[in-house]
Amino acid sequence: MGRTRLGRLAAVTVPATVVSLGFGYAMLQGMVSAQLSAAEPFQVTGASANATGLEVSLRSVTTATSNDNGAETEKKSALVTLKNGNLNDLCLAANQPVPLLGNIGVNLTANGNVNLGAVTDMSADDVAAASATLPSTEIGVAQSQLDHQKDVAKGYAPGGWGLESTGAVQLNNLDAKTYALSLGSLDLSSGLRILPKLGTATC
């Protein structure tokens, strides 16, 4: 019995670890852009986030369910776009319930400065910061006036509500719960660590 359970555990965790490490290597080599999504919000944190602009609009996001029936569900979200963003001390924590094993979590961490590329989109359930600098900010601007949120596939609504801040944006102690994260690129100065674990992953 013990050998069978250990074998099942290895069959699940070893391939997941290999795939995770391979994905991390591919991102580091610039082979792929990072596209992360989940049925339930995953945590993204950073000591500080800096950008040359910030855009926010209200919309829904389509996510898969956590079971295998292939169904999709609509979630409320705010689409948050950072222009030319940098994040210090990135941490990402996601969790997935697995039959027989309970919860499997994964942490993705990178110390130091992380260059996020020209455009970073985050479909967020919740975004918090200990302090924020938002220069030249317009609240209530139409989505049609936002540079990076006019994509119909993102749920663009011409008359929808939006927020736009231009200039040196800074968010300190960023803590976000997000359904999807799209990075134009991922440039790491201090390496990347991806750690699967049995149990709950947190930042």
Side-chain angles (χ1 to χ4, degrees), residues 3-90:
R3 290 182 180 178
T4 301
R5 289 180 179 173
L6 183 58
R8 287 178 181 172
L9 175 63
V12 172
T13 58
V14 172
T17 302
V18 171
V19 170
S20 297
L21 292 176
F23 180 62
Y25 177 79
M27 286 193 297
L28 288 172
Q29 297 301 314
M31 298 175 188
V32 297
S33 60
Q35 303 283 338
L36 310 173
S37 63
E40 297 300 327
F42 55 90
Q43 185 180 20
V44 179
T45 67
S48 64
N50 299 277
T52 60
L54 171 72
E55 296 177 351
V56 180
S57 64
L58 301 179
R59 58 192 69 202
S60 64
V61 62
T62 301
T63 68
T65 59
S66 58
N67 54 41
D68 294 328
N69 64 12
E72 296 179 340
T73 184
E74 291 291 319
K75 305 280 190 178
K76 64 176 178 62
S77 77
L79 182 62
V80 180
T81 298
L82 291 176
K83 304 177 184 179
N84 302 309
N86 290 274
L87 189 64
N88 288 306
D89 297 334
L90 167 68

Side-chain angles (χ1 to χ4, degrees), residues 144-168:
S144 58
Q145 301 302 309
L146 301 178
D147 292 337
H148 298 289
Q149 301 205 22
K150 300 177 184 178
D151 190 341
V152 174
K154 297 177 183 176
Y156 163 61
W161 180 92
L163 176 150
E164 181 176 34
S165 184
T166 57

Side-chain angles (χ1 to χ4, degrees), residues 73-134:
T73 184
E74 291 291 319
K75 305 280 190 178
K76 64 176 178 62
S77 77
L79 182 62
V80 180
T81 298
L82 291 176
K83 304 177 184 179
N84 302 309
N86 290 274
L87 189 64
N88 288 306
D89 297 334
L90 167 68
C91 176
L92 183 151
N95 294 280
Q96 177 66 50
V98 176
L100 301 179
L101 293 177
N103 190 80
I104 291 182
V106 62
N107 277 111
L108 183 154
T109 57
N111 296 325
N113 183 64
V114 178
N115 187 337
L116 303 178
V119 179
T120 301
D121 284 331
M122 180 168 58
S123 294
D125 180 68
D126 181 35
V127 177
S131 62
T133 301
L134 302 176

